[in-house]
Amino acid sequence: MKKLDAKRFLRAAQRRIGTGRAALCLVLALALVAPAGTLGQSAGPKIPALLLGASWYPEQWPESRWNKDLQLMEDAHLDVVRVGEFAWSTEEPAEGVYKLGWLARAIHLAQEHHIFVVLGTPTDAPPVWLTDKYPETLRVKRDGRRAQHGARRQFNYADPLYRTFCAQIVTQLAQRFGHNPDVIGWQIDNEYTDESFDAGTRRQFDNWLKAHFGTIAALNRDWTTAYWSETYDHWSEIPLPMSADENPGLLLAYKQFVTDTWRSYQGVQTDIIRKYADPRQFITTNFGGLGWSDHFDHYVIARDLSLASWDDYVGEGQLHVARNGAMNDLVRGFKRANFWVMETQPGAVDWAPVNTTLDRGETRAIAWQDVGHGADAVLYWQWRSALNGQEQYHGSLVGPDGEPLPIYKEISGTGRQFQRAAAAVAGTTPVAQVAILDSYDSRWAIDFQRFNRNYHQLSVLLDYYRPLRHERLTVDIVNASAPLDKYKLVLAPDLNVISPHLAAHLLAYVEQGGDLLLGPRSGMKNQYDGLNVQRQPGPLAGPLGGRVVEYYALDTTVPVSGELGAGTATLWAERLSVRAKNDKVLLRYGKANGWLDGHPAMITRSVGKGRISYLGAVLDPALMTRVMAWAASDAHVRPEFPPVPKGVEVCRRVGADHTIFILINHGVEPANVTLPEPMKNVLKGDARVAQVRLPSQGVAVLETPAH
Ligand code: GAL
């Protein structure tokens, strides 16, 4: 029997007999064709396990053009478009006047081309009628001036009235599209970025502080406000921070308040979508800032989302393999699950100092790197540049004439590969033996007071990450408070803020057999960004059986040597001491500033069934590689793949009954990779191979049964 196309049936029937009776007929007709027991369930469409897509802004183009665009997308094997983001003035051209028919038609036409839709809420770009009539919905900048209409992100995220308008438009969207089978998910707003410094937000901050500290006396104590006569008598006296010179306690609390305010801003929209929409539609927001943004605590914001996603841009120059890999791993850690790359650049961006383009093949290599690190979808920003507006120069798949640009062919090749690999990728995710701990409180605390302006936490994190990736190990990057029991090795560079609670969590991991390596600056601060009275690593100094006696910012290198090898420290050096008998010194400083000379730079101690170590310096890459090799071998971390030629990245995704390896040659020379056993060459018709040859920017996806 021919399959019943329910939507077509309904539309045809509506035309003939009207909506109500048409729906009844559809139910009866479905009862005839649907297998028993499926009626009333919303199984939803079958979504490929791996999707490629683009941001498409149909509101910027005549409707007569849509079909051609969608046909070109289908030809390029795109499976998904993100639409609606920024389209508020088209969706609600005047207050309370909603026009969503065009969006329904765009979604429908996309489906006719087998393209799914992620619906963006438009709240990052309010229409001018709104902010003109209700200027309090515009944010106030730090200098006291109100933002104005004309760009985006001009809204006040904390303003109740703005949130009401957001709720109204999102209600309209959710009611209309919440059960649309072609809409597979929602993106809230766009890259939450700008705060507001208006009086209303300040009142909210004061209330937030009251809820957190309980009494003004507690706040005065925890912030040590006697310093510089900062003592407060009333909550209303506490300002929003205007400069980096303010009390670190206030600065940290403010960041947490900003996080909670974005969370409640987002919550207005997610609550409405959850009320009206089918739970099969995911809810995400696209994190910006090249992955490393610290505008807010991403773990907190991700809590209320069903899926994490981020915007993966290189900007100027070429792919930074380790950085981009780590950022994908960071995003995977937000929900400790696979994620989406909601935007990435098709060639060049338009906001870098020099908007160089990615090399031929590099765009494809990046897409596969994203997948290798846990992305289940990659979407290009954008399909086609608007003819006017601020981003005319940005990379796109088709030009202003609507015809494909050179990158289109490469992306269409990636689309073909994604379709081929989808079945193998289905049900798989990166599984790591090693985790690096991340904490926004620590990141903020260090960046408020860097002590050495050349000290970059991301760079320190990559010092730990790179050697592990060179050894072809999967690395998780997770919140410091995440469950750790599945990891053999946990690394905590820059874990500056260690509260008693976090210390207990880490200690439990060690006592039960975990291997914890703390990096420089760890445990200096408590949860209020106050100094821990006990020297670093604060509450973990006891279990470590040693401590940081003093820390030094370096502007020259300092020799370091010991049983792990010899090299140098740069930027930062902490003089350690050992107190416990079973503490072992692994590295010592050589002759330096006198204070460091001969003192321990790295120590380790067995605790319970596990081990705790402390490395107090930023080391050169060669010595750091040896430190990581020691840490991995001490923790019995098993290799995941044999050695590969330089420039080849190995990513592993593990499923219930099979494992896939994604090999990417980021180098300029072709590379031959010998596999540990014959595997299915997924992109090449599934033939079993024992070796693959990868051209520069080449990719192989290899499948093997689970061991
Ligand atoms: C992103 C943003 C997009 C677009 C893109 C250009 O940060 O989400 O809307 O502006 O940058 O690279």
Side-chain angles (χ1 to χ4, degrees), residues 397-466:
L397 279 80
V398 297
D401 58 354
E403 295 302 323
L405 290 165
I407 194 84
Y408 173 92
K409 199 162 163 218
E410 180 174 316
I411 290 175
S412 127
T414 310
R416 207 174 314 112
Q417 290 182 331
F418 270 32
Q419 286 181 351
R420 273 201 197 134
V425 168
T428 64
T429 189
V431 174
Q433 307 166 70
V434 184
I436 298 182
L437 302 188
D438 173 48
S439 141
Y440 283 87
D441 283 358
S442 292
R443 280 171 59 181
W444 292 323
I446 290 179
D447 283 343
F448 296 151
Q449 296 162 300
R450 279 212 206 159
F451 203 64
N452 180 340
R453 68 172 175 180
N454 300 319
Y455 195 96
H456 298 290
Q457 295 180 69
L458 176 55
S459 157
V460 175
L461 184 149
L462 293 178
D463 289 347
Y464 287 68
Y465 179 85
R466 218 179 278 109

Side-chain angles (χ1 to χ4, degrees), residues 321-341:
V321 176
R323 185 194 193 282
N324 206 58
M327 293 306 95
N328 274 304
D329 295 337
L330 177 77
V331 177
R332 193 176 72 249
F334 291 153
K335 292 201 74 70
R336 285 179 282 124
N338 287 2
F339 59 93
W340 278 34
V341 170

Side-chain angles (χ1 to χ4, degrees), residues 203-222:
R203 267 195 310 279
Q204 290 185 28
F205 181 47
D206 295 338
N207 289 334
W208 185 96
L209 290 168
K210 190 171 173 190
H212 278 74
F213 287 87
T215 65
I216 202 86
L219 179 142
N220 281 317
R221 179 198 62 216
D222 293 332

